[in-house]
Amino acid sequence: MRRRILGFAAVLTTLVAAAGCGSSDSGAGDSSSSGGGKTTRVKVGIIPIVDVAPLYLGQKKGFFGSRGIELEMVSAQGGAAIIPGVVSGQFQFGFSNTTSLMVAQVKGVPVKSVVNGAASNGKVGGDVTGVGVRKDSSIKSAEDLAGRTVAVNTLRNIGDTTVRESVRAAGGDPAEVKFVEIPFDQMPAALDDGRVDAAWMGEPAMTIAKAQGVRVVASPFAETDPKLTVATYFTSAKLEKQDPDLVKKFTEAMTESLRYATGHPDEARQVLTTYTKISGDVLKKLTLPSWPPDVDKASLEKLASLGERDGLFGDKKPDLDALFS
């Protein structure tokens, strides 16, 4: 078991570190002449996970290059690091879960979502995220998570909010769930030694964990809303005002990328090998998210309502029309 856990940690550590990272002084945002046309170098802050495959696929297929955009992807641990990077101008665009963007907005951070990123595939028991338990656990459903300790990668965010909704929908009391923050790569060990009763994991963590006997007892995204808009690409209010043409071109290229990835899932799966070390059986068995070109406003309204119930926004409410229009 220890060997399997170490192997799991190695894969997840590689996943976080393997995206193509450029130096911070590479002149992102500079323009140069290429073949008589103007090319703008653009840095995008991303989390190197399955969800961003369309971005890399769109780069490979020339959807950005044909619009004069030269992409440089820069990896980060999560939206908490990407959002300030976009606002400061370190990145021109970023990828973040929608709850983090709502929290940022109500705190007065000047961000604006420009195009969809990823959504739930709507399959309970087979979504891109799930709550896993040990094979011998007495937990059989989301209802049984009440009174238990559940690991999430970030507290007070989209993970624990949607897990609570799964518990509530199954008839349990979400207030009785104790959440602890543990990095994804440490969750299998935490499950194995009994530090947590369950762990909310995404891909490829879930595929690897299931191969080790972990059972999925809840699919929080799909159970919250089968069309849940999980993450989007965003920019700063400053860039949107100063260079609306660049924002328009990025949005168009990303929309084309999302549509292409949806129609060519095998190519989307294969492009993962260009920015991660995922391969073999894990690559074949990975569960992919949905990549619709548009956000689902109804699902965002529900997510915002759940965030309000959890106290994520203080005494304010996120302005979804302004943030996701």
Side-chain angles (χ1 to χ4, degrees):
M1 174 60 73
R2 177 175 175 79
R3 187 177 295 111
R4 292 202 304 269
I5 291 170
L6 289 173
F8 176 93
V11 171
L12 265 291
T13 300
T14 299
L15 180 64
V16 171
C21 298
S23 63
S24 61
D25 59 353
S26 60
D30 291 347
S31 297
S32 61
S33 179
S34 177
K38 181 180 178 182
T39 298
T40 302
R41 286 198 290 178
V42 169
K43 282 188 177 181
V44 186
I46 57 96
I47 310 166
I49 54 177
V50 173
D51 304 53
V52 299
L55 179 68
Y56 285 86
L57 188 56
Q59 180 189 44
K60 180 180 179 182
K61 303 303 292 187
F63 301 152
F64 292 90
S66 66
R67 292 173 171 86
I69 295 175
E70 180 185 337
L71 289 180
E72 178 184 351
M73 274 68 93
V74 183
S75 62
Q77 292 290 341
I82 295 173
I83 290 174
V86 170
V87 174
S88 70
Q90 178 185 359
F91 313 132
Q92 282 67 55
F93 300 91
F95 177 87
S96 177
N97 75 79
T98 48
T99 295
S100 287
L101 290 174
M102 293 179 199
V103 171
Q105 188 203 51
V106 297
K107 290 182 177 179
V109 179
V111 292
K112 176 66 179 293
S113 173
V114 297
V115 65
N116 199 19
S120 166
N121 65 27
K123 299 176 183 176
V124 174
D127 202 4
V128 72
T129 69
V131 177
V133 299
R134 293 185 302 274
K135 180 170 56 178
D136 60 353
S137 173
S138 62
I139 299 172
K140 305 300 181 185
S141 71
E143 181 181 11
D144 299 330
L145 294 173
R148 307 300 184 102
T149 301
V150 180
V152 292
N153 69 318
T154 305
L155 293 171
R156 296 176 59 80
N157 215 295
I158 195 168
D160 49 13
T161 291
T162 54
V163 170
R164 287 190 185 93
E165 179 62 8
S166 287
V167 174
R168 185 181 295 111
D173 184 355
E176 294 183 1
V177 181
K178 179 182 178 182
F179 291 98
V180 295
E181 187 171 300
I182 297 177
F184 283 130
D185 63 334
Q186 296 178 23
M187 287 184 185
L191 274 174
D192 186 57
D193 63 22
R195 282 187 286 134
V196 296
D197 301 302
W200 175 71
M201 292 179 281
E203 290 287 20
M206 185 54 71
T207 291
I208 298 170
K210 284 164 68 175
Q212 299 175 357
V214 167
R215 291 186 291 108
V216 177
V217 297
S219 301
F221 286 169
E223 289 163 354
T224 295
D225 191 304
K227 295 182 179 180
L228 182 67
T229 296
V230 174
T232 66
Y233 292 89
F234 68 100
T235 190
S236 66
K238 180 179 180 180
L239 182 66
E240 184 187 34
K241 182 178 181 180
Q242 290 183 343
D243 199 342
D245 187 56
L246 176 62
V247 174
K248 180 175 181 287
K249 288 179 179 179
F250 179 88
T251 299
E252 291 174 347
M254 195 64 238
T255 298
E256 187 174 4
S257 301
L258 292 166
R259 287 181 173 142
Y260 190 87
T262 298
H264 302 80
D266 289 340
E267 289 186 50
R269 191 181 299 273
Q270 191 60 37
V271 82
L272 289 168
T273 63
T274 66
Y275 67 97
T276 77
K277 296 295 184 180
I278 301 172
S279 61
D281 288 342
V282 174
L283 181 66
K284 294 176 183 177
K285 295 178 180 179
L286 277 177
T287 298
L288 298 178
S290 175
W291 289 304
D294 301 311
V295 301
D296 186 90
K297 189 58 101 34
S299 74
L300 291 174
E301 290 171 352
K302 183 168 186 180
L303 193 61
S305 177
L306 294 174
E308 289 177 45
R309 180 179 292 189
D310 289 343
L312 297 183
F313 310 129
D315 57 358
K316 297 182 179 181
K317 292 184 179 181
D319 184 344
L320 301 185
D321 289 334
L323 182 57
F324 296 105
S325 62

